[in-house]
Structures are given as C-alpha cells and as structure tokens.
Amino acid sequence: GLAATLFYLRQDLVEGVELAALAAECATRAHDEALRVESLCLRSLLECLVGRPEAADTIREVAELARSAVYGRVLSAPAQNLGVFALWTDGPEAAGFLREAHDDAVARGDEGSVPMVLAQLAQAEYLAGRWAESAQVAEEAAEVAVQTGQPPMLAYSLATRALVRA
C-alpha cells in the first residue's frame, strides 16, 4: 500500500521500488500469488518511472505470471499494467493490453476501473496514429468518468480528446 501511495503521489519513487520489491518477496513467502503479481506490476511501473533497466525484466516476469494470476481490481491486473508499461515505453502492444483490461473490467463489473483504462486506451490509440478510435474512446472515457464521479479521469480523457482535435 505504501509503495502504491508513493507511486500515485510521484514521491520517493526509489523507495517505492524497494517497498514494492519487499511486498513481492513477502507475498512469495506467504504463497499469495495474486499479491505477488500485483506487487511486481507496481514494481515494474516504479522501475520504469525512475529509469531502471531492470523494469523490462520485471514486466516480463509479470507477463509470464499473468496467465495464472487471480487479482482483485482490474487496475491491479497484469493486462492493465502491461498496457501502461507499453504505453510509457512506446510499445505497439499497449492498445491491445488496454482493450483486454477494459473488456475484463466490463465483464467483472469493475466500473471504477473503466475510466482510467479507457483514458489510457485513448492515449495509446492516439500515439499509434489511430485518431478516430482515440477520439471515440476518449469520449466514452469522459462519459464514464462523469458517471462514476472521477474528475481526474475526466480531465485525462478530455486532454486526449483535445489532442486529437488539435
């Protein structure tokens, strides 16, 4: 939890990497595979933010574990985190992972995750040059953000929509 807080606040990210690594180690010892995968997802994103080259190895480990992982919210799921990692590192597979995360959120009824996943998908589509798709997804993300009361995700999706229009 502390590593996630540091991640979202964008503070003490190096400490966040260490805490996420410790969480993954503790989860391994406790035989809690879901917490281990969630911790590794967070660790990979934190490593990416601080520019550590091992981030690619960590996200590959997440991809290997993704098939057997059981997790709570979609925002903690491997597909979501693989998508964000690919988005941040210009990976062409970002949109595919984020679509998978969106479909998973809808299937699970995880309405709280949908706005963020869609906002990130809109950005991935924009960066891939699929501007019509980006605009459509950004519009949907904005609507869902309003419905779920998530002003930051509304701003994120509207910013992507503005980019497409520009």
Side-chain angles (χ1 to χ4, degrees):
L2 182 54
T5 299
L6 294 174
F7 171 77
Y8 286 113
L9 294 175
R10 301 298 196 264
Q11 293 181 350
D12 300 319
L13 297 177
V14 172
E15 182 180 355
V17 170
E18 302 311 317
L19 290 168
L22 178 60
E25 181 183 319
C26 291
T28 299
R29 281 189 266 140
H31 305 288
D32 188 335
E33 197 64 15
L35 184 57
R36 178 174 175 233
V37 171
E38 185 175 346
S39 300
L40 288 171
C41 286
L42 182 58
R43 178 180 165 191
S44 70
L45 295 180
L46 283 159
E47 288 172 342
C48 187
L49 284 175
V50 298
R52 290 195 178 170
E54 62 266 25
D57 292 333
T58 306
I59 202 68
R60 274 193 289 280
E61 186 176 355
V62 168
E64 290 170 12
L65 296 170
R67 288 159 185 68
S68 63
V70 176
Y71 46 87
R73 294 190 64 215
V74 169
L75 295 180
S76 301
Q80 166 68 14
N81 288 278
L82 289 163
V84 171
F85 190 90
L87 181 63
W88 289 357
T89 58
D90 298 324
E93 66 279 6
F97 282 127
L98 292 167
R99 272 191 218 93
E100 180 183 332
H102 172 260
D103 294 347
D104 189 19
V106 170
R108 293 165 140 259
D110 185 0
E111 296 169 352
S113 296
V114 172
M116 180 177 279
V117 174
L118 286 176
Q120 292 166 332
L121 177 56
Q123 188 177 27
E125 295 289 17
Y126 172 79
L127 293 172
R130 295 184 290 268
W131 295 352
E133 291 89 343
S134 176
Q136 180 182 5
V137 172
E139 194 64 41
E140 183 181 352
E143 290 173 17
V144 177
V146 169
Q147 292 169 2
T148 58
Q150 297 185 44
M153 293 306 105
L154 175 60
Y156 189 2
S157 57
L158 292 177
T160 302
R161 186 180 74 180
L163 262 171
V164 172
R165 288 182 177 178

